[in-house]
Amino acid sequence: MDAQEIQDAAAGGTGHLLKLANARDRRAAEAAHAFGGAIARTGGVYTSRMRLRFTKMQGAGNDFVMLNGITQRVELTAEQVRRLADRRFGVGADQILLVEPAQGAGADFRYRIFNSDGGEVEQCGNGARCFVRFVRDQGLTDKQAIRVETLGGLIAPRMEASGEVTVDMGAPVVDPAAVPFDAQGLVAVRIGEDEAWPLLVHGRETLVSVLSMGNPHAVQVVPNVDDAPVTKDGPVIENHGRFPRRVNAGFMQVMDRQRIRLRVWERGAGETLACGTGACAAVVAGIRRGLLASPVEVETRGGRLTISWEGQGDPAQHPVRLTGPAATVFEGEIEI
């Protein structure tokens, strides 16, 4: 209520003032409803809430809340992202994935990725597989293959006849400065075509392959992933000062030349059951070290992924291809 309304209502007493206030509340709520949301009044302050339709999906156990930002208005704060991702008070997910119209020519959609900590990130391979199935299920396209804008660049997911999805993840970036990784004062250890960098973790040096799949990764080889210090070392590597944008920490066990086991501590999400870009990064590192040969089956705690890369020589000329499942778990509506 403004000052004039208060003056006009004064003669009517408190009851009239309350009627006016309630009418204002109703008008605010009606306006919000037109946008698929609501207005909550707390301590005299109006805050906007949204009613969102969502689809819960998973790719090899890496789970997502999918939001159609084309047929409904979606403007989320970091706090709302965290609430959606919360496994007790929200829907629960490793990442929130938002479909928006493409901003540039040559792309079908824009793909935005928010980690469970509320931060927006560049890339998610398992999410990209779910993305193409989602836009088809939503009737947004009937194409088998689409081109999608991400913060990490253009990617091309494609539905296979088998029901799995293959994503052209683009070429890996192995230049430390472009990852980005601060290598100043460090001396790399040459292993095959790879450079393994000594990273100080809990007072000891750990050799990691540093590369980007549209997002930064630090991959180390371990004897057994079951015993690897993922939850102890993962957070330290993620937030290490040499990675100005933080990093995903991969722990790879080589089983043979075409099979690995992998666990990943994801930046902003913690350990997940699978990480698509982490699987790509691990296979690229293994091939460059001479340990692996394409294609490589990657066994994660959530399922199996297949990575193909023919990038010996000049990595920048050869895209990485990720193939794996993408499934709908359930659909729903939430007010947040």
Side-chain angles (χ1 to χ4, degrees):
M1 296 175 65
D2 59 25
Q4 186 61 50
E5 286 177 313
I6 293 172
Q7 285 181 344
D8 292 345
T14 303
H16 188 55
L17 285 167
L18 288 174
K19 286 180 182 178
L20 279 175
N22 289 337
R24 176 60 59 84
D25 286 351
R26 285 195 300 273
R27 289 196 297 272
E30 288 166 1
H33 183 71
F35 289 96
I39 295 290
R41 189 181 186 189
T42 306
V45 177
Y46 292 99
T47 58
S48 176
R49 301 187 70 183
M50 286 183 291
R51 187 175 294 109
L52 293 175
R53 294 180 298 279
F54 68 87
T55 299
K56 177 71 177 286
M57 299 188 73
Q58 62 87 14
N62 199 182
D63 62 339
F64 312 99
V65 171
M66 313 291 299
L67 299 174
N68 183 339
I70 294 176
T71 61
Q72 64 181 343
R73 182 177 176 180
V74 181
E75 294 180 0
L76 295 174
T77 65
E79 175 58 28
Q80 287 172 318
V81 169
R82 289 191 289 268
R83 284 165 55 194
L84 269 177
D86 192 290
R87 298 188 183 278
R88 291 176 176 83
F89 298 103
V91 180
D94 295 321
Q95 281 93 16
I96 310 300
L97 308 183
L98 176 59
V99 182
E100 291 184 343
Q103 294 185 323
D108 296 289
F109 301 99
R110 184 185 184 201
Y111 166 35
R112 299 181 67 188
I113 307 146
F114 299 89
N115 278 340
S116 57
D117 67 355
E120 186 170 5
V121 294
E122 306 93 338
Q123 194 58 275
C124 176
N126 288 329
R129 297 200 316 279
C130 290
F131 187 98
V132 68
R133 183 175 291 278
F134 178 70
V135 294
R136 284 172 54 83
D137 289 349
Q138 292 279 305
L140 300 176
T141 185
D142 60 1
K143 295 180 179 180
Q144 292 292 112
I146 59 175
R147 292 173 66 81
V148 181
E149 298 169 344
T150 74
L151 286 180
L154 202 65
I155 59 171
R158 180 183 73 247
M159 290 290 302
E160 303 288 1
S162 65
E164 290 195 315
V165 179
T166 295
V167 186
D168 180 336
M169 298 295 297
V173 174
V174 298
D175 174 19
V179 171
F181 172 68
D182 177 12
Q184 186 174 4
L186 299 181
V187 178
V189 177
R190 190 79 177 181
I191 306 175
E193 295 182 355
D194 189 40
E195 290 183 327
W197 295 91
L199 201 66
L200 198 61
V201 179
H202 292 300
R204 69 180 188 280
E205 283 192 348
T206 299
L207 289 178
V208 296
S209 298
V210 173
L211 67 156
S212 173
M213 286 303 313
N215 55 354
H217 289 269
V219 181
Q220 61 181 285
V221 177
V222 297
N224 189 324
V225 290
D226 295 327
D227 301 328
V230 177
T231 58
K232 179 184 177 183
D233 290 2
V236 176
I237 297 172
E238 175 195 359
N239 296 287
H240 199 286
R242 289 193 176 272
F243 294 96
R245 296 181 187 170
R246 298 187 295 165
V247 72
N248 300 284
F251 299 77
M252 172 176 62
Q253 176 185 353
V254 178
M255 307 302 292
D256 58 47
R257 287 188 61 78
Q258 293 190 300
R259 187 165 64 97
I260 66 171
R261 298 177 66 206
L262 180 70
R263 292 171 65 186
V264 179
W265 180 273
E266 289 199 48
R267 176 185 58 165
E271 185 178 8
T272 57
L273 291 179
C275 175
T277 57
C280 294
V283 169
V284 168
I287 290 174
R288 283 172 54 78
R289 289 188 182 204
L291 302 174
L292 302 173
S294 180
V296 178
E297 183 179 272
V298 181
E299 180 184 325
T300 74
R301 292 190 164 188
R304 286 181 169 83
L305 304 169
T306 301
I307 310 299
S308 301
W309 186 60
E310 306 297 338
Q312 297 91 331
D314 184 359
Q317 300 302 314
H318 300 276
V320 182
R321 290 181 172 83
L322 160 67
T323 300
T328 296
V329 182
F330 62 87
E331 297 180 337
E333 188 174 285
I334 187 171
E335 187 174 280
I336 191 165

